[in-house]
Structures are given as structure tokens and as C-alpha cells.
Amino acid sequence: MNSFFSKLSQALMLPIALLPAAGIMLGIGGSFTNETMINAYQIEMLQSGTWLNSFLQIMTAAGGIVFANLPVMFALAIAVGFAKAEKGAAAIAALISFLVMNVAIAKTLVVGGLVKGGAVVLFGAAYNGLLTSTLGIDGTLSMGVFGGIIAGAFTAVLHNKYHDVTLPDYLGFFGGARFVPIVSAFSALFYGIALTFIWPFIGALFGWVGGALGDLTTSGYGYIASFIFGIIERSLIPIGLHHVFYLPLWQTDIGGTANIAGELVKGTQNIFFASLANGDFSQFTSTNFMTGKFPFMMFGLPAAAYAMYTLADDKNKRAAGGLLFSIALTAFLTGITEPIEFTFLFLAPALYYGIHVPLAGISFLLMDALNVKVGMTFSGGFIDFSLFGILPGVTGANNNWFYIPIVGVVYAFIYFFAFRWFILKFDVKTPGRKGSAVAVISKKDFHAAKASGGDTAMADAMIEALGGKENVVDVDACITRLRITVKDGSLVKDNDYWITQLGAKALVKVGGTGIQAIYGAQAAGYKTQINSRLGK
């Protein structure tokens, strides 16, 4: 089960990686076409009717189309991520499945007379807010990214079963990978019809959960939901399943609903970006499951890295500083925090779960209590903070963005002194400390030691540490981790070897065959190098 969810999390990273580009277009376009800002500052070049305003409106629409079509992107991503071969054919089959599924749903609702007064009526009960338009298909069920995941999952199963099927000679042209879109389309027809009678109940359940969160917010207790979210989200980081946890809240009505510009928008991230594009944040609640990341990602964890640097031995300070300052800058700018977190997670789990995780939960609580309304594309770094906090704030949005640096500075002091105290009290061997189990080895040092191997030395060493080519089944990467499937996990070198010899931040074994090597931003590059050496 762990291995499956790890693979799922890895597959979800493909569409999530598209969000920063779309978010930037929405952030810039939405902010600089805001009529309140234009009129307040009398910026003539941005007035309605100018070429710049027209271009920015196009940019806003271009960013919005990505968020509007995330379900189909998830269908493609799940199929590609789980396909064992012929991934391009799997993507085509997933697209066809998604289209057929939605057409089957829309037509079943019509011919079955299940739509009355804009609501879906099943067994005498009416379910409101379930109808939507997807890729030109009107009147289908609004399933959000779950619809894409369902279509992609069915496609992946069928693809792996039939991508190499052999048909009789007279049908040979339709064999192999060509057979997958055919069988996927017929399959989508039937599970599309079935979903027509199943999804309204699931949608109603999601709506109830979203309504309960909304009631907490309107009753003044929304910060409780935010606090619990922060605790769970950070607790799942070590096993890489946090994406699976937060995605439904960000993309479906479990995270709330809002009526923006006459359209019902579901999911806290979708609500935020719809608010940004519309220039009205009144519908974006502070129980948003996003804003709480900014204080500890931009300020807290970089301060923790500085605390580790101050405690490194004098002879190791330069090397430790090179490591710690680079990962601190990465966290501050992009919100990618795993490289910092894994420098102390395995050395001192109590430091991670006893100090860091509670502080993360409190950060979400504080941002909610202070009514801060700043969204993000995938993480809480300065880039997202500037585009979706400062920029909308100075152009007229009432989002209270200024509380983030205020709380962040306080968090920096708390993290710095809390980490120094814990490391000294329990003699934690953080990078550069005497007798440290975490050796500070740079990539340059590694390549120097493996000079004879040229540019392929790192990839070859990783393959060897994974038990050799024959033991490696699949290699992929998310934002910060190599996600690897092997035949026999016992053949994989241990955590200390990967840290001291291969420069990883940590190695996590998920189940018997799942391996996660945490490298930070270099993970995607290493994936390409390893697959090249494996001939994939």
C-alpha cells in the first residue's frame, strides 16, 4: 500500500509541476488588470483598451485555462506514471477515456431524465452543484481531479495488461499499443454510466465535509481545521505522501466551495486563483490550507539551517555552510524544504515531530486567525509570496499579506534558538559537527574521487547502490526525490551510504520495493542520467 501511494504521489507531480507557470501568468495578469489598482495609481498604460491591458487579459486567460483543465491533466499523468511501457500510447488512451467517460455521464443524465431544475435527481433526492462543462462536454458531473484520476487509473490498468497483446493476423494492425485506446474507450463507456449513479453520493459527502469546514470558519473556529491540516501535512513529508493528502483539499469541494463571477468553484486552490483572476478576495476564506506554509518555509527552516551552521566544527564550517546556505536559500525562494528537513529528520525524529511539526501546525493556525489570504502554486516560498501575496496586496486586495513577514521573523528566532537548544542538549550530529554521521561531501568532491568515470560516475554509483541494473525496475522523480522501484529492497545500500558516499540528504525505504532518495532540486537531473545508463 505504501509503495502504491508513493507511486501515486510521484505521478501527481507531473501536473502539479505545471502550476507555477500558470500561476505566474495569473498572478501578473490578474494583478495588473485590477481596476481598483489602475484607478488608484492612475496608470494610463494599464487602462482598459490599451494594448498592454489587452495582453495582460490574454495572459490571465492563459493561466486560468491550466487550472480549469487540471482533471484531464491528471488523467494523463496517472496513466503515464503507472504505465510500465509505451507511455505515449498510455497518454493517448487516457485522453480518450476521459472524453468518453464524461460524454457517457452527460448523455446518461439526459436520457435517464436525471436532471431537473439544474440538479441531479436520484431515487427522489436532489443533488445540487454537481453539473459542469468539461472540454466542451456540457452537463457532465463535476468530479474535479478525481474524475481524471479515475480515468487515468482504469487506463493504466488496461494499458499494462494489453499494451503487448497479440491479435489474430487479420486484426494484427490493432494489436499491441494500438489496442489500448480501443479497450480503454469501451471500458470508459461502462464506468462512465456507472459513475452517473455513484458519484452524486460521493459528491454529496464531499460537499458535507466542505460545508463542515465552512461552518467552522463562519463560527470562528476555522483555525482548528488549519492547525490539524498543518500537523498532518508535515507529518507525511518523510514518506512522501503529503501530495496525496492535500490535493483533494486544494482541488475538490472537500476544501470548500465559492460562487465567483457567477460560477461555482470547488477546492481552496481553485477558489484562490479564481479570486485572483476576478480581483475579489471576499469569497476566499482564511481556512485555505496554503498560507500557513509561508512563515516556517521562508523564515523558520532557513533559521534552523543557520543554527546548524553555527554549531558545526570550525574546520567544517566552510563545507557545512556551502550545504546549509544553499538548501536554506532553496527553501526561502521556492518553499522546497525537504533538503533541510532531511538533514535532521533521521538524526533526531523528536526534533522533527516534537518541535518542527507542531510549529508548522501553529503557523497554519496563526495565518488563519490573522485572516491572511495568500495562495500558492505548490509551495510557500518567496516567489509565490511575491506574486500571490505582495502583488495583489499592493494592488488593492485585502489579503493581510504583511502578517507573513511579521510572524516569519518571530518564527526565525523560535526556530534558531529551539534548534540550537535541542542539538546541544541531545548532542545531535548535524552536518559538520564532530563525529557526525552526516558527512558534508560536495558533488565536486564526489566527481573528483570518481574522475575516471566522467559525467556518468554519479549515475553508475547510484545504480550500483540500488543493487545493480537487474534490480532496478523503475526510476522517476518528483520535485525533491528520486522515486525508485526495485525488485529486492535488501540489495539497496543503507541510508548512511547514500548520505556519505552519494551526497543524498536521506534515503527512505517504502515497503519492500519502494526507494526514495532525497536530493532536492537535482533529483530530476539524476533521474534522467540513471535512466540513460539503464537504456530507458
Side-chain angles (χ1 to χ4, degrees):
M1 186 65 74
N2 280 339
S3 180
F4 166 77
F5 279 109
S6 178
K7 189 73 174 176
L8 176 62
S9 181
Q10 164 191 316
L12 297 180
M13 279 295 94
L14 184 60
I16 289 174
L18 298 171
L19 299 186
I24 288 171
M25 288 190 285
L26 263 177
I28 295 175
S31 294
F32 286 105
T33 54
N34 185 298
E35 290 294 333
T36 302
M37 183 272 290
I38 295 172
N39 294 331
Y41 295 99
Q42 291 296 305
I43 307 175
E44 294 184 3
M45 66 174 62
L46 295 179
Q47 293 286 348
S48 179
T50 63
W51 71 268
L52 186 54
N53 183 279
S54 299
F55 173 75
L56 290 170
Q57 288 189 47
I58 295 171
M59 180 184 290
T60 303
I65 199 66
V66 174
F67 288 94
N69 288 289
L70 274 177
V72 69
M73 296 178 195
F74 274 86
L76 298 172
I78 292 295
V80 170
F82 280 89
K84 295 178 180 178
E86 300 280 0
K87 291 181 180 288
I92 293 174
L95 175 60
I96 294 171
S97 297
F98 184 80
L99 293 171
V100 172
M101 177 189 75
N102 278 285
V103 166
I105 291 170
K107 205 64 179 176
T108 301
L109 288 171
V110 172
V111 299
L114 303 177
V115 178
K116 297 178 182 178
V120 177
V121 178
L122 282 178
F123 310 115
Y127 299 88
N128 295 299
L130 289 181
L131 299 178
T132 189
S133 176
T134 298
L135 295 179
I137 304 169
D138 294 326
T140 186
L141 290 176
S142 176
M143 295 185 287
V145 295
F146 283 118
I149 291 173
I150 291 169
F154 273 100
T155 301
V157 171
L158 294 170
H159 175 84
N160 289 332
K161 183 175 179 63
Y162 294 113
H163 74 274
D164 56 356
V165 68
T166 301
L167 298 178
D169 290 344
Y170 58 89
L171 294 175
F173 176 79
F174 300 102
R178 295 188 184 93
F179 185 69
V180 177
I182 298 172
V183 69
S184 296
F186 277 101
S187 175
L189 173 66
F190 290 103
Y191 66 72
I193 294 172
L195 283 170
T196 307
F197 299 93
I198 296 172
W199 190 261
F201 302 106
I202 300 174
L205 175 62
F206 287 174
W208 179 84
V209 174
L213 292 176
D215 290 341
L216 278 174
T217 302
T218 55
S219 301
Y221 296 103
Y223 55 85
I224 296 176
S226 295
F227 173 74
I228 294 171
F229 171 86
I231 293 289
I232 297 175
E233 193 269 345
R234 280 298 101 179
S235 296
L236 291 175
I237 286 286
I239 54 175
L241 300 184
H242 50 297
H243 308 303
V244 179
F245 169 67
Y246 70 66
L247 196 67
L249 290 158
W250 282 18
Q251 291 297 324
T252 74
D253 42 1
I254 297 177
T257 61
N259 193 301
I260 299 175
E263 292 188 12
L264 185 67
V265 183
K266 302 178 180 181
T268 188
Q269 188 178 59
N270 294 327
I271 293 171
F272 172 76
F273 281 104
S275 300
L276 182 65
N278 192 50
D280 179 12
F281 281 75
S282 62
Q283 295 297 309
F284 182 58
T285 67
S286 54
T287 308
N288 51 52
F289 312 116
M290 291 190 285
T291 308
K293 289 187 177 184
F294 288 103
F296 71 85
M297 286 184 168
M298 288 173 53
F299 298 93
L301 284 170
Y306 182 62
M308 291 184 236
Y309 167 75
T310 63
L311 294 173
D313 298 338
D314 289 340
K315 65 179 181 180
N316 292 328
K317 263 193 165 50
R318 182 176 179 182
L323 169 71
L324 293 168
F325 287 143
S326 65
I327 60 179
L329 183 61
T330 299
F332 176 77
L333 289 176
T334 68
I336 295 174
T337 58
E338 282 95 330
I340 294 180
E341 289 166 325
F342 278 91
T343 59
F344 63 89
L345 168 60
F346 294 110
L347 293 171
L351 178 59
Y352 186 88
Y353 286 103
I355 293 179
H356 173 50
V357 169
L359 284 173
I362 293 170
S363 179
F364 277 91
L365 182 153
L366 289 173
M367 291 298 97
D368 200 316
L370 294 170
N371 201 32
V372 184
K373 302 180 178 183
V374 179
M376 62 184 64
T377 51
F378 76 94
S379 203
F382 183 75
I383 296 173
D384 276 15
F385 173 59
S386 300
L387 289 171
F388 312 125
I390 298 175
L391 194 56
V394 299
T395 56
N398 184 22
N399 60 2
N400 292 330
W401 65 270
F402 48 85
Y403 281 120
I404 289 176
I406 294 173
V407 174
V409 169
V410 176
Y411 255 57
F413 281 99
I414 293 173
Y415 266 79
F416 178 80
F417 289 109
F419 270 67
R420 270 189 63 91
W421 169 81
F422 192 98
I423 292 168
L424 290 172
K425 174 74 173 177
F426 298 100
D427 194 26
V428 181
K429 303 299 190 272
T430 48
R433 277 174 60 76
K434 185 177 180 181
S436 172
V438 182
V440 183
I441 297 177
S442 68
K443 198 190 307 181
K444 180 179 178 181
D445 294 334
F446 177 84
H447 283 302
K450 298 280 187 178
S452 59
D455 293 337
T456 63
M458 180 67 90
D460 288 338
M462 289 180 179
I463 293 170
E464 181 183 351
L466 290 168
K469 290 185 177 181
E470 296 302 319
N471 195 44
V472 180
V473 177
D474 180 68
V475 179
D476 213 321
C478 65
I479 296 172
T480 59
R481 311 164 187 240
L482 282 170
R483 294 177 180 263
I484 306 156
T485 303
V486 296
K487 295 177 182 177
D488 185 354
S490 67
L491 299 179
V492 179
K493 298 286 188 181
D494 61 17
N495 181 63
D496 284 346
Y497 182 87
W498 281 80
I499 292 172
T500 59
Q501 301 301 314
L502 298 178
K505 304 300 184 294
L507 184 83
V508 181
K509 293 186 178 182
V510 183
T513 60
I515 305 296
Q516 297 178 12
I518 292 82
Y519 274 100
Q522 297 101 338
Y526 288 148
K527 178 202 79 169
T528 302
Q529 295 171 22
I530 294 172
N531 281 328
S532 176
R533 298 298 290 167
L534 293 173
K536 295 183 178 181

Coordinates of all heavy atoms in Angstrom, one line a residue, residues 39-91:
N39 N -7.0 52.5 -11.2 CA -7.6 53.8 -10.9 C -7.0 54.5 -9.7 O -6.8 55.7 -9.7 CB -9.1 53.6 -10.6 CG -9.9 53.1 -11.8 OD1 -9.5 53.4 -13.0 ND2 -11.0 52.4 -11.6
A40 N -6.5 53.7 -8.7 CA -5.9 54.3 -7.6 C -4.6 55.0 -7.9 O -4.3 56.0 -7.4 CB -5.7 53.2 -6.5
Y41 N -3.8 54.3 -8.8 CA -2.5 54.8 -9.1 C -2.5 55.6 -10.5 O -1.4 56.0 -10.9 CB -1.5 53.7 -9.1 CG -1.3 53.1 -7.8 CD1 -1.9 51.9 -7.4 CD2 -0.4 53.7 -6.8 CE1 -1.7 51.4 -6.1 CE2 -0.3 53.2 -5.6 CZ -0.9 52.0 -5.2 OH -0.7 51.5 -4.0
Q42 N -3.6 55.6 -11.1 CA -3.7 56.3 -12.4 C -2.7 55.9 -13.4 O -1.9 56.7 -14.0 CB -3.7 57.8 -12.2 CG -4.9 58.4 -11.5 CD -6.2 58.2 -12.3 OE1 -6.3 58.7 -13.4 NE2 -7.2 57.6 -11.7
I43 N -2.5 54.6 -13.6 CA -1.5 54.1 -14.5 C -2.2 54.0 -15.9 O -2.9 53.0 -16.2 CB -1.0 52.7 -14.1 CG1 -0.5 52.8 -12.6 CG2 0.1 52.2 -15.0 CD1 -0.1 51.4 -12.1
E44 N -1.9 55.0 -16.7 CA -2.6 55.1 -18.0 C -2.3 53.9 -19.0 O -3.2 53.5 -19.7 CB -2.2 56.4 -18.7 CG -2.7 57.6 -18.0 CD -2.4 58.9 -18.7 OE1 -1.8 58.8 -19.8 OE2 -2.7 60.0 -18.2
M45 N -1.1 53.4 -18.9 CA -0.7 52.3 -19.9 C -1.4 51.0 -19.6 O -1.4 50.1 -20.4 CB 0.8 52.1 -19.8 CG 1.4 51.6 -18.5 SD 3.1 51.1 -18.6 CE 3.8 52.7 -19.0
L46 N -2.0 50.9 -18.3 CA -2.8 49.7 -18.0 C -4.3 49.9 -18.1 O -5.0 49.0 -17.8 CB -2.4 49.3 -16.6 CG -1.0 48.9 -16.3 CD1 -0.8 48.5 -14.8 CD2 -0.6 47.7 -17.2
Q47 N -4.7 51.1 -18.5 CA -6.1 51.3 -18.6 C -6.8 50.4 -19.6 O -6.2 49.9 -20.6 CB -6.4 52.8 -19.0 CG -6.0 53.8 -18.0 CD -6.9 53.9 -16.9 OE1 -8.0 53.4 -16.9 NE2 -6.5 54.7 -15.8
S48 N -8.1 50.1 -19.4 CA -8.8 49.2 -20.3 C -8.8 49.8 -21.7 O -9.0 51.0 -21.9 CB -10.3 49.1 -19.8 OG -11.0 48.3 -20.7
G49 N -8.5 48.9 -22.7 CA -8.4 49.4 -24.1 C -7.0 49.5 -24.6 O -6.8 49.6 -25.8
T50 N -6.0 49.6 -23.7 CA -4.6 49.8 -24.1 C -4.1 48.4 -24.5 O -4.6 47.3 -24.1 CB -3.8 50.3 -23.0 OG1 -3.8 49.4 -21.9 CG2 -4.3 51.7 -22.5
W51 N -3.1 48.4 -25.3 CA -2.5 47.1 -25.8 C -2.0 46.3 -24.7 O -2.1 45.1 -24.6 CB -1.4 47.3 -26.9 CG -0.1 47.9 -26.3 CD1 0.2 49.2 -26.2 CD2 1.0 47.2 -25.8 NE1 1.4 49.4 -25.7 CE2 1.9 48.1 -25.4 CE3 1.2 45.8 -25.6 CZ2 3.1 47.8 -24.8 CZ3 2.4 45.5 -25.0 CH2 3.4 46.4 -24.6
L52 N -1.4 47.0 -23.6 CA -0.8 46.2 -22.5 C -1.9 45.6 -21.7 O -1.7 44.4 -21.2 CB 0.0 47.2 -21.7 CG 0.8 46.5 -20.5 CD1 1.7 45.4 -21.0 CD2 1.6 47.6 -19.8
N53 N -3.0 46.3 -21.5 CA -4.1 45.7 -20.7 C -4.7 44.5 -21.5 O -5.0 43.5 -20.8 CB -5.2 46.8 -20.5 CG -6.4 46.3 -19.7 OD1 -7.3 45.6 -20.2 ND2 -6.4 46.6 -18.4
S54 N -4.8 44.6 -22.8 CA -5.3 43.5 -23.6 C -4.4 42.3 -23.5 O -4.9 41.2 -23.3 CB -5.4 43.9 -25.0 OG -6.3 45.0 -25.2
F55 N -3.1 42.6 -23.5 CA -2.1 41.5 -23.4 C -2.2 40.8 -22.1 O -2.2 39.6 -22.0 CB -0.7 42.0 -23.7 CG 0.4 40.9 -23.4 CD1 0.6 39.9 -24.3 CD2 1.1 41.0 -22.3 CE1 1.5 38.9 -24.1 CE2 2.1 40.0 -22.0 CZ 2.3 39.0 -22.9
L56 N -2.3 41.6 -21.0 CA -2.4 41.0 -19.7 C -3.7 40.2 -19.5 O -3.7 39.3 -18.7 CB -2.3 42.2 -18.6 CG -0.9 42.8 -18.5 CD1 -1.0 44.1 -17.6 CD2 0.1 41.8 -17.9
Q57 N -4.8 40.7 -20.1 CA -6.0 39.9 -20.0 C -5.9 38.5 -20.7 O -6.4 37.5 -20.2 CB -7.2 40.6 -20.7 CG -7.7 41.8 -19.9 CD -8.9 42.5 -20.5 OE1 -9.9 41.7 -20.8 NE2 -8.9 43.8 -20.6
I58 N -5.1 38.5 -21.8 CA -4.8 37.3 -22.5 C -4.0 36.4 -21.6 O -4.2 35.2 -21.5 CB -4.1 37.5 -23.9 CG1 -5.1 38.3 -24.8 CG2 -3.7 36.2 -24.5 CD1 -4.4 38.8 -26.1
M59 N -3.0 37.0 -20.9 CA -2.1 36.2 -20.0 C -2.9 35.6 -18.9 O -2.7 34.5 -18.5 CB -1.0 37.2 -19.5 CG -0.1 36.5 -18.5 SD 1.1 37.6 -17.8 CE 2.1 38.0 -19.2
T60 N -3.9 36.4 -18.4 CA -4.8 35.9 -17.3 C -5.6 34.7 -17.8 O -5.7 33.6 -17.1 CB -5.7 37.0 -16.8 OG1 -4.9 38.1 -16.4 CG2 -6.6 36.5 -15.6
A61 N -6.1 34.8 -19.0 CA -6.9 33.7 -19.5 C -6.0 32.4 -19.8 O -6.4 31.3 -19.5 CB -7.6 34.1 -20.8
A62 N -4.8 32.7 -20.2 CA -3.9 31.6 -20.5 C -3.5 30.8 -19.2 O -3.4 29.6 -19.2 CB -2.6 32.1 -21.2
G63 N -3.3 31.6 -18.1 CA -3.1 30.9 -16.8 C -4.3 30.2 -16.3 O -4.2 29.1 -15.8
G64 N -5.5 30.8 -16.5 CA -6.7 30.2 -16.0 C -7.1 28.9 -16.7 O -7.6 28.0 -16.0
I65 N -6.7 28.8 -18.0 CA -7.1 27.5 -18.7 C -6.4 26.3 -18.1 O -6.9 25.2 -18.2 CB -6.8 27.7 -20.2 CG1 -7.6 26.7 -21.0 CG2 -5.3 27.6 -20.5 CD1 -9.0 26.9 -21.0
V66 N -5.2 26.5 -17.6 CA -4.5 25.4 -17.0 C -5.2 24.9 -15.7 O -5.5 23.6 -15.6 CB -3.0 25.8 -16.6 CG1 -2.3 24.6 -15.8 CG2 -2.2 26.1 -17.8
F67 N -5.6 25.8 -14.9 CA -6.4 25.4 -13.7 C -7.7 24.8 -14.0 O -8.2 23.9 -13.4 CB -6.5 26.5 -12.7 CG -5.2 26.9 -12.0 CD1 -4.4 27.9 -12.6 CD2 -4.8 26.3 -10.9 CE1 -3.2 28.2 -12.0 CE2 -3.6 26.6 -10.3 CZ -2.8 27.6 -10.8
A68 N -8.3 25.3 -15.1 CA -9.7 24.8 -15.5 C -9.6 23.4 -16.0 O -10.6 22.7 -16.0 CB -10.3 25.8 -16.5
N69 N -8.5 23.0 -16.5 CA -8.4 21.7 -17.2 C -7.4 20.7 -16.4 O -6.9 19.8 -17.0 CB -7.9 21.8 -18.6 CG -9.0 22.4 -19.5 OD1 -10.0 21.8 -19.8 ND2 -8.8 23.7 -19.9
L70 N -7.3 20.9 -15.1 CA -6.4 20.0 -14.4 C -6.9 18.6 -14.4 O -6.1 17.6 -14.4 CB -6.3 20.5 -12.9 CG -5.2 21.6 -12.7 CD1 -5.3 22.0 -11.2 CD2 -3.8 21.0 -13.0
P71 N -8.3 18.3 -14.4 CA -8.7 16.9 -14.4 C -8.1 16.1 -15.5 O -7.7 15.0 -15.3 CB -10.2 17.1 -14.5 CG -10.5 18.4 -13.8 CD -9.4 19.3 -14.2
V72 N -8.2 16.7 -16.8 CA -7.6 15.9 -17.9 C -6.1 15.7 -17.8 O -5.6 14.7 -18.2 CB -8.0 16.5 -19.2 CG1 -7.3 17.9 -19.4 CG2 -7.7 15.6 -20.4
M73 N -5.5 16.7 -17.2 CA -4.0 16.6 -17.0 C -3.7 15.5 -16.0 O -2.7 14.8 -16.1 CB -3.4 17.9 -16.5 CG -3.5 19.0 -17.5 SD -2.9 20.6 -16.9 CE -3.6 21.7 -18.1
F74 N -4.5 15.4 -15.0 CA -4.4 14.3 -14.0 C -4.6 12.9 -14.6 O -3.9 11.9 -14.3 CB -5.2 14.5 -12.8 CG -4.6 15.4 -11.7 CD1 -4.7 16.7 -11.8 CD2 -3.9 14.8 -10.7 CE1 -4.1 17.6 -10.9 CE2 -3.3 15.6 -9.8 CZ -3.4 17.0 -9.8
A75 N -5.6 12.8 -15.5 CA -5.8 11.6 -16.3 C -4.6 11.2 -17.0 O -4.2 10.0 -17.0 CB -7.0 11.7 -17.2
L76 N -4.0 12.1 -17.7 CA -2.8 11.8 -18.5 C -1.6 11.4 -17.6 O -0.9 10.5 -17.8 CB -2.4 13.0 -19.3 CG -3.4 13.5 -20.4 CD1 -2.9 14.8 -21.0 CD2 -3.5 12.5 -21.5
A77 N -1.5 12.2 -16.5 CA -0.3 12.0 -15.6 C -0.4 10.6 -14.9 O 0.6 9.9 -14.8 CB -0.3 13.1 -14.5
I78 N -1.6 10.2 -14.5 CA -1.8 8.9 -13.8 C -1.4 7.8 -14.8 O -0.7 6.8 -14.4 CB -3.2 8.7 -13.2 CG1 -3.4 9.7 -12.1 CG2 -3.4 7.3 -12.8 CD1 -2.6 9.5 -10.9
A79 N -1.9 7.9 -16.0 CA -1.7 6.8 -17.0 C -0.2 6.7 -17.3 O 0.4 5.6 -17.4 CB -2.5 7.1 -18.2
V80 N 0.4 7.9 -17.5 CA 1.9 7.9 -17.9 C 2.7 7.4 -16.7 O 3.6 6.6 -16.8 CB 2.3 9.3 -18.3 CG1 3.8 9.4 -18.4 CG2 1.7 9.7 -19.6
G81 N 2.3 7.8 -15.5 CA 3.1 7.5 -14.3 C 3.1 6.0 -13.9 O 4.0 5.5 -13.5
F82 N 1.9 5.4 -14.2 CA 1.8 3.9 -13.8 C 2.0 3.0 -15.0 O 2.2 1.8 -14.8 CB 0.4 3.7 -13.3 CG 0.2 4.1 -11.8 CD1 -0.2 5.3 -11.5 CD2 0.5 3.2 -10.8 CE1 -0.3 5.7 -10.1 CE2 0.4 3.5 -9.5 CZ 0.0 4.8 -9.1
A83 N 2.1 3.5 -16.2 CA 2.4 2.7 -17.4 C 3.8 2.1 -17.3 O 4.7 2.8 -17.0 CB 2.2 3.4 -18.7
K84 N 3.9 0.8 -17.5 CA 5.2 0.2 -17.5 C 6.0 0.3 -18.8 O 7.2 0.1 -18.8 CB 5.1 -1.3 -17.1 CG 4.5 -1.5 -15.7 CD 4.2 -3.0 -15.4 CE 3.6 -3.1 -14.0 NZ 3.4 -4.6 -13.7
A85 N 5.3 0.6 -19.9 CA 6.0 0.7 -21.2 C 5.0 1.5 -22.1 O 3.8 1.7 -21.7 CB 6.3 -0.7 -21.8
E86 N 5.5 1.9 -23.2 CA 4.7 2.6 -24.2 C 3.9 3.8 -23.5 O 2.6 3.8 -23.7 CB 3.7 1.6 -24.9 CG 4.4 0.5 -25.6 CD 4.9 0.9 -27.0 OE1 4.7 2.1 -27.4 OE2 5.5 0.1 -27.7
K87 N 4.6 4.6 -22.8 CA 3.9 5.7 -22.1 C 3.1 6.7 -22.9 O 2.1 7.2 -22.5 CB 4.9 6.4 -21.2 CG 5.5 5.5 -20.0 CD 6.5 6.3 -19.2 CE 7.0 5.5 -18.1 NZ 6.1 5.2 -17.0
G88 N 3.6 6.9 -24.1 CA 2.9 7.8 -25.0 C 1.5 7.3 -25.4 O 0.5 8.0 -25.5
A89 N 1.5 5.9 -25.7 CA 0.2 5.3 -26.0 C -0.7 5.3 -24.8 O -2.0 5.5 -25.0 CB 0.4 3.9 -26.4
A90 N -0.2 5.2 -23.6 CA -1.0 5.3 -22.4 C -1.6 6.7 -22.3 O -2.8 6.8 -21.9 CB -0.1 5.0 -21.2
A91 N -0.9 7.7 -22.6 CA -1.4 9.1 -22.5 C -2.6 9.3 -23.5 O -3.6 9.9 -23.1 CB -0.3 10.1 -22.8

